[in-house]
């Protein structure tokens, strides 16, 4: 879950017994949000109103059922505008995909460093993910 606050001047901070919302006037707020990740299990009854066609497409399907989840973690994020982060404006690299059925796995590797020269640690970002 990602809950983005409409009023970006407030920052969510964990208090002793609750979440406190602090109004920030010292910086120009750009983004204020809370995120939480859950592991979730669900079971659904599906009604299939179509047949499988030759090209692998199916007709209309409707499904509903219960789910339950357990929170793995969460965080508050407050982003404000500040000059001087020294990130590269342009990135380039190599990418690859591996498809199995209708699922694709992808990865990218930046050939240039994340930060401008001598302005931060020497890091080359790697990303990966799944496309359904």
């Amino acid at each position: 879950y990602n809950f983005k606050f409409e009023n970006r001047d407030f920052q969510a901070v964990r208090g002793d017994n609750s979440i406190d919302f602090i109004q920030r006037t010292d910086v120009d707020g750009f983004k204020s949000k809370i995120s939480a990740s859950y592991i979730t299990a669900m079971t659904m009854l599906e009604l299939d109103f179509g047949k499988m066609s030759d090209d692998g497409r199916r007709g209309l399907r409707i499904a509903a059922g219960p789910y339950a989840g357990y929170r793995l973690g969460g965080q508050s994020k407050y982003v404000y505008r500040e000059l001087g982060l020294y990130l590269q404006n342009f990135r380039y690299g190599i990418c690859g995909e591996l498809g199995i059925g209708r699922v694709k796995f992808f990865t990218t590797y930046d050939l240039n460093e994340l930060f401008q020269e001598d302005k931060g640690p020497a890091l080359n970002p790697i990303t990966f993910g799944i496309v359904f």
Side-chain angles (χ1 to χ4, degrees):
Y1 288 109
N2 283 303
F3 301 101
K4 195 172 184 182
F5 301 125
E6 186 174 352
N7 188 338
R8 297 172 292 202
D9 292 335
F10 287 89
Q11 179 179 4
V13 178
R14 181 181 176 153
D16 291 335
N17 297 315
S18 65
I19 298 269
D20 296 327
F21 291 91
I22 299 169
Q23 186 169 12
R24 298 287 304 263
T25 57
D26 55 332
V27 293
D28 182 20
F30 178 69
K31 183 190 299 183
S32 183
K33 71 177 195 169
I34 293 176
S35 63
S37 57
Y38 291 81
I39 186 165
T40 303
M42 62 180 66
T43 181
M44 292 193 281
L45 176 64
E46 181 179 277
L47 299 174
D48 190 347
F49 298 103
K51 297 180 182 178
M52 184 76 81
S53 64
D54 292 337
D55 62 358
R57 293 186 182 170
R58 300 183 81 158
L60 177 66
R61 294 184 311 274
I62 298 175
Y67 71 89
Y70 181 78
R71 186 174 56 83
L72 299 174
Q75 68 179 6
S76 168
K77 185 175 186 179
Y78 186 75
V79 179
Y80 55 92
R81 288 184 176 87
E82 179 182 17
L83 299 176
L85 291 180
Y86 303 112
L87 295 174
Q88 295 283 4
N89 292 326
F90 183 72
R91 58 182 271 238
Y92 58 92
I94 56 175
C95 62
E97 286 186 351
L98 172 66
I100 301 171
R102 293 184 178 175
V103 178
K104 282 192 237 179
F105 301 92
F106 73 88
T107 186
T108 65
Y109 176 76
D110 287 5
L111 294 174
N112 64 321
E113 293 181 357
L114 178 64
F115 296 101
Q116 296 172 8
E117 190 173 337
D118 298 325
K119 302 289 185 182
L123 300 173
N124 295 73
I126 298 172
T127 61
F128 54 91
I130 300 173
V131 179
F132 296 96

